[in-house]
Amino acid sequence: MLAPPMPEIGTAMMIQQWRQLTFLHWRYPVDAVRPLLPAELTPHTIDGDVWVGLIPFLMCEVRPPGIPELPWLSRFPETNLRTYVTGPDGGTGIWFFSLDAARLPAVAAARAGLNLPYRWARMSLRDDGDTMTYRGVRRYEPRGAGYRISVRRGAEHAETELSPLDHFLTTRHRLYTVKLGRLVTVDVWHPPWPLHRAEVVDLREDLTVAAGLPRPHGAPLVHWSPGVRTRIGMPRILR
C-alpha cells in the first residue's frame, strides 16, 4: 500500500509542531465504527478491518503564519481519538471522535472554526528518559473521561522495516469534519514521521467508551515519534 501523496499547502491557516507522540491503535469491526460516521464518509479498511487510534502528544509553536508564538497559549498537551475514512471524492483521511486539549482558547477556536469535537481537559506529559507518561481527565463532564498512558520507547525503525500497515496508520494528510451540515476537509503538510519501536508500560483509558465505541480488546499496536513540524491548510467544502 502506497502512502497518500503529500499535499501542497499554498496558504497555511496554522503552523504547528507535534512533538513526543505515541500512536496506540486497535482493530475494530466495521459495524462498530460505521454508525459513528457521517453518511458521506465510509470506513477506510485494511485487510477488512477498521483501526481506531488514540494519540497523545505535545502541541508546540501553535500560531497563524506571520504571528509570533505565545509561550502559554502555543504549547500544550493534546490527545485525539480517531479513525480512518474515505470521502465522497475518493480521498482518504482522518475522522476525529474526540480531541482533548489543555488550553481552553484552543478548544473554543477549533470548535467554533471547524466544529471539531474538542474537549477541555486537565492534562500532563512527562518524559522520564526512555519512558513517556501521559495523563488527562476532561473538565466539567459528569463522567470525566480520561486516560493514563505510559510507554517505553526504543530504537527508530529503518524505512525498510515499515509495513503497509505502519504507513496506513500514521501517514495521513487530511482531516474531515462537518460544519453547518456541510462536509469540510483540511489538508495537512508534514515530513515523514520518524517512527520508533515502543511498548506499553501502563494503559488505562475510557475515551473510546465515551465516544460510543466498544472497549478495545487486546494490546494495541504501538509507535512512538519525536514529532514533526506541520502546515495546516485552509478548509475546503466538499459538499
Side-chain angles (χ1 to χ4, degrees):
M1 176 179 293
L2 296 176
M6 183 82 72
E8 294 290 335
I9 304 295
T11 302
M13 175 175 60
M14 292 290 290
I15 307 292
Q16 302 175 352
Q17 293 201 32
W18 302 340
R19 297 298 178 193
Q20 297 177 302
L21 293 90
T22 292
F23 296 88
L24 303 169
H25 282 97
W26 294 270
R27 292 179 187 268
Y28 271 81
V30 172
D31 289 346
V33 174
R34 191 192 307 273
L36 303 177
L37 302 178
E40 301 94 335
L41 300 177
T42 58
H44 189 195
T45 63
I46 183 168
D47 297 329
D49 290 317
V50 177
W51 287 78
V52 170
L54 180 62
I55 295 93
F57 64 103
L58 182 65
M59 276 274 211
C60 300
E61 301 182 24
V62 178
R63 60 182 178 83
I67 304 296
E69 62 177 297
L70 301 174
W72 179 83
L73 189 58
S74 298
R75 182 184 179 90
F76 53 89
E78 180 167 321
T79 296
N80 66 65
L81 180 69
R82 70 196 205 184
T83 193
Y84 307 105
V85 295
T86 301
D89 62 343
T92 61
I94 293 170
W95 175 260
F96 290 110
F97 297 118
S98 65
L99 304 102
D100 290 21
R103 296 289 182 263
L104 181 57
V107 170
R111 291 182 72 95
L114 289 172
N115 196 37
L116 290 170
Y118 268 84
R119 305 287 193 275
W120 188 25
R122 295 182 181 89
M123 305 173 72
S124 66
L125 180 154
R126 191 177 74 241
D127 185 347
D128 293 323
D130 66 348
T131 302
M132 298 291 307
T133 299
Y134 312 84
R135 292 185 179 92
V137 61
R138 291 178 181 165
R139 298 174 182 263
Y140 308 121
E141 291 191 6
R143 289 192 294 175
Y147 58 89
R148 176 192 166 100
I149 302 165
S150 291
V151 297
R152 183 177 297 112
R153 58 185 178 237
E156 184 174 357
H157 286 285
E159 176 61 31
T160 54
E161 295 176 325
L162 296 175
S163 69
L165 179 59
D166 295 321
H167 288 296
F168 179 90
L169 298 176
T170 62
T171 308
R172 298 288 175 164
H173 297 287
R174 171 177 289 184
L175 68 84
Y176 291 88
T177 185
V178 174
K179 171 78 171 177
L180 299 175
R182 308 291 297 274
L183 187 65
V184 175
T185 66
V186 177
D187 287 339
V188 179
W189 175 92
H190 62 73
W193 290 105
L195 294 175
H196 289 235
R197 297 172 178 82
E199 61 177 342
V200 171
V201 177
D202 184 29
L203 173 57
R204 286 169 277 175
E205 66 81 25
D206 56 5
L207 300 184
T208 48
V209 172
L213 291 160
R215 191 172 297 280
H217 294 292
L221 180 61
V222 188
H223 301 85
W224 184 85
S225 178
V228 294
R229 67 191 190 280
T230 73
R231 288 170 56 84
I232 314 298
M234 302 299 290
R236 180 168 65 92
I237 296 174
L238 273 187
R239 50 168 68 174

